[in-house]
Amino acid sequence: TGKTEEEVWAAYKEYIRQKDEVAPIADDTKCVKDGFAHQMGLQTYPHLQDVTFEEHYKEFLRDKESPTQNKTFSNYVQLSQHLIKGLGSLKMYEINQKVLLEFIRNLVNTKYCAGKSTVPNAYYSQSMLSKVYNLLKGFIKACSDPTHRLYLEMPNYMEYIQMPKSKSEPKEEIKEYTEEEMMKIMEALEEDLMIYCWIRILAETGTRPSEPLALQWKDINWEEGSITIDKTLSEVREHDLENWSRSTSVPIIKTLKNDGVKRTHCRKISISAGLMVKLRQWQKFVENDEKMREGRIRNNTTEQVFTGPEGNLWLYRCYNQRYKRALEKCGLYKKGVFLYRFRHTFCTYLVRSKLSMKDIQFLMGDSTLDVILNVYAKVHKEEAFQQGMIASERIQNLIPNCG
């Protein structure tokens, strides 16, 4: 303080002299414009950066919010908790490459409580780390791009920061179900006709688990013995970015994403006569169950093949929990028994049947060949190993027994 501006600057000059480190000054302040900051060798920063990471990052997330990609946005909000916890309170002028590297390093070395454990026992997966890294990279890039509305006149500090590598144990290789395993699972589901039909569709068609749950009766061609996949069960939430909270999920039926003219996600797949019989039985059960029938009318779900017991749309996890309980009841639920394994099994069968890549891609409803190529490589290795054993035995038979 001082009676005049000169006294104030004199006092501040003495204050600076006594300090080892002084906070930088925004470039739109009077002391910078008057040249005092330069004279004293004070560090300055663009005044646009005088905002917290959290405040500015919320604007970045709002740009990503879209009603058509609600589930994806919900994942962004959840993953962003890590960024806010580690960087949220910092001013953007405090962000630099060293700070970002330290944040990523801490995240890689952090453990969380996995399963029913009450103490941290697992490192974050590579998938999770990659998603957080990409969000951070996109945000910092926006802040350094002069054409972006979030531009803060700062360097792209993430440009030379590499994708982190997880310390978590590598996931076990997905194996296809054996015929015996498939038979036991289907036997365990006999008492729950709805779940039986759902799982059998997964086993026979290789669809994604949520796709059959959106089926309508009109999607079943009873004469031809086929189903049309052009919808999926999804969910939506409302998000409050100010408080970093989100509402409970609400189930919805949405069309599959249209990947251009080819529309490989939408497809028609044949089903067995046995599955047709089970679907007919399920249809008759729905028609004869008064509570479910009235509930479907009330909820406007009469055309849906699958609903909850009261005729309401169910969340995917509700079906999954019912599936798990049926397996647990028969002692079949264990590690590695997850729904996407049916899709992997179906793809493996198709590869071993020597179908063309394009035919497999259509039946699987994939936009790219990445997943199919992974299965193909695995099957090819197995076949190569078997052929190697045969060749080894033949050569061994040609070598005289010197023992």
Side-chain angles (χ1 to χ4, degrees):
T1 60
K3 293 181 180 180
T4 64
E5 185 175 337
E6 288 73 16
E7 289 183 9
V8 171
W9 287 128
Y12 188 56
K13 185 175 181 179
E14 178 62 21
Y15 167 79
I16 292 172
R17 188 182 66 79
Q18 296 174 8
K19 297 292 181 181
D20 294 329
E21 186 176 340
V22 178
I25 302 172
D27 60 6
D28 64 342
T29 56
K30 190 175 185 300
C31 70
V32 174
K33 293 178 178 179
D34 290 348
F36 176 77
H38 176 72
Q39 177 187 345
M40 297 301 300
L42 295 176
Q43 183 182 351
T44 62
Y45 63 86
H47 63 277
L48 293 174
Q49 296 176 21
D50 197 6
V51 60
T52 65
F53 180 98
E54 180 176 1
E55 290 170 333
H56 208 56
Y57 183 78
K58 283 178 181 177
E59 294 302 312
F60 172 73
L61 268 190
R62 288 190 178 97
D63 286 350
K64 289 184 168 296
E65 190 167 11
S66 167
T68 58
Q69 297 293 330
N70 182 275
K71 192 173 182 179
T72 300
F73 181 73
S74 187
N75 290 332
Y76 288 157
V77 174
Q78 187 174 12
L79 290 166
S80 297
Q81 302 295 327
H82 298 284
L83 295 171
I84 300 308
K85 181 179 179 181
L87 303 168
S89 62
L90 295 178
K91 292 281 191 175
M92 287 306 296
Y93 63 74
E94 297 178 293
I95 298 294
N96 54 48
Q97 191 175 54
K98 180 180 178 181
V99 169
L100 297 177
L101 279 169
E102 185 65 21
F103 163 76
I104 292 174
R105 190 178 298 115
N106 289 338
L107 194 61
V108 169
N109 293 320
T110 297
K111 286 187 175 183
Y112 69 100
C113 299
K116 297 181 180 180
S117 175
T118 56
V119 295
N121 63 341
Y123 291 107
Y124 290 116
S125 68
Q126 184 60 54
S127 174
M128 180 272 182
L129 291 177
S130 298
K131 291 173 182 176
V132 173
Y133 168 85
N134 286 329
L135 281 172
L136 181 58
K137 186 175 183 179
F139 173 60
I140 298 300
K141 183 178 179 181
C143 295
S144 64
D145 182 357
T147 65
H148 202 286
R149 77 176 189 88
L150 298 180
Y151 180 55
L152 294 182
E153 299 182 26
M154 61 186 294
N156 185 0
Y157 294 117
M158 290 293 293
E159 187 174 4
Y160 300 109
I161 297 181
Q162 296 182 344
M163 176 80 71
K165 292 185 178 180
S166 173
K167 289 186 175 182
S168 65
E169 294 292 329
K171 290 184 178 180
E172 292 183 13
E173 187 180 59
I174 301 177
K175 297 180 180 179
E176 69 271 21
Y177 281 119
T178 64
E179 292 182 7
E180 182 182 1
E181 287 174 328
M182 294 271 271
M183 188 178 300
K184 286 183 177 180
I185 289 174
M186 299 315 300
E187 288 176 353
L189 302 177
E190 283 282 2
E191 295 182 6
D192 192 332
L193 186 55
M194 180 179 72
I195 300 301
Y196 178 93
C197 289
W198 174 42
I199 298 303
R200 185 155 175 179
I201 291 174
L202 298 185
E204 288 194 15
T205 66
T207 53
R208 298 172 183 85
S210 57
E211 290 175 338
L213 296 176
L215 280 174
Q216 295 182 335
W217 295 116
K218 66 179 181 180
D219 298 323
I220 303 175
N221 188 321
W222 301 101
E223 290 73 29
E224 185 180 44
S226 66
I227 58 174
T228 297
I229 301 295
D230 58 7
K231 298 176 290 295
T232 189
L233 176 68
S234 189
E235 58 187 61
V236 294
R237 297 174 184 260
E238 291 184 359
H239 299 87
D240 179 6
L241 292 183
E242 293 305 317
N243 299 302
W244 291 105
S245 62
R246 54 183 184 172
S247 66
T248 56
S249 297
V250 177
I252 61 166
I253 302 297
K254 58 181 288 188
T255 56
L256 296 178
K257 56 184 178 181
N258 186 348
D259 51 323
V261 179
K262 296 180 181 179
R263 297 200 66 184
T264 54
H265 286 80
C266 302
R267 60 212 187 272
K268 182 172 70 172
I269 315 174
S270 64
I271 57 177
S272 69
L275 176 52
M276 296 277 285
V277 170
K278 289 294 184 180
L279 285 169
R280 281 292 193 190
Q281 291 176 2
W282 171 242
Q283 187 180 42
K284 181 176 285 189
F285 177 87
V286 171
E287 292 171 351
N288 294 333
D289 187 287
E290 183 177 353
K291 182 180 179 181
M292 183 177 286
R293 186 177 67 250
E294 292 179 353
R296 285 177 170 230
I297 294 173
R298 186 171 57 253
N299 290 288
N300 195 29
T301 58
T302 54
E303 292 301 311
Q304 298 302 131
V305 175
F306 301 110
T307 65
E310 298 183 358
N312 55 316
L313 284 181
W314 252 12
L315 290 167
Y316 169 79
R317 63 172 173 266
C318 297
Y319 294 98
N320 195 21
Q321 287 169 357
R322 195 153 148 176
Y323 167 66
K324 288 180 180 179
R325 283 196 295 268
L327 294 189
E328 287 171 350
K329 186 177 179 181
C330 299
L332 293 177
Y333 189 74
K334 56 185 178 180
K335 185 178 180 181
V337 180
F338 48 90
L339 292 170
Y340 259 87
R341 197 171 163 189
F342 290 107
R343 182 169 169 81
H344 178 83
T345 301
F346 183 76
C347 185
T348 303
Y349 285 171
L350 294 179
V351 170
R352 287 184 174 147
S353 298
K354 308 300 182 183
L355 265 69
S356 70
M357 287 290 185
K358 282 298 180 183
D359 287 341
I360 297 175
Q361 182 181 15
F362 173 77
L363 290 171
M364 297 293 293
D366 280 328
S367 300
T368 65
L369 292 170
D370 294 348
V371 174
I372 299 169
L373 287 172
N374 287 337
V375 174
Y376 179 84
K378 176 188 170 186
V379 172
H380 183 70
K381 285 180 182 178
E382 292 172 354
E383 292 178 350
F385 177 74
Q386 295 297 329
Q387 291 300 321
M389 287 183 62
I390 294 172
S392 179
E393 290 175 358
R394 287 178 179 173
I395 293 173
Q396 183 176 327
N397 292 332
L398 296 175
I399 300 175
N401 188 352
C402 300

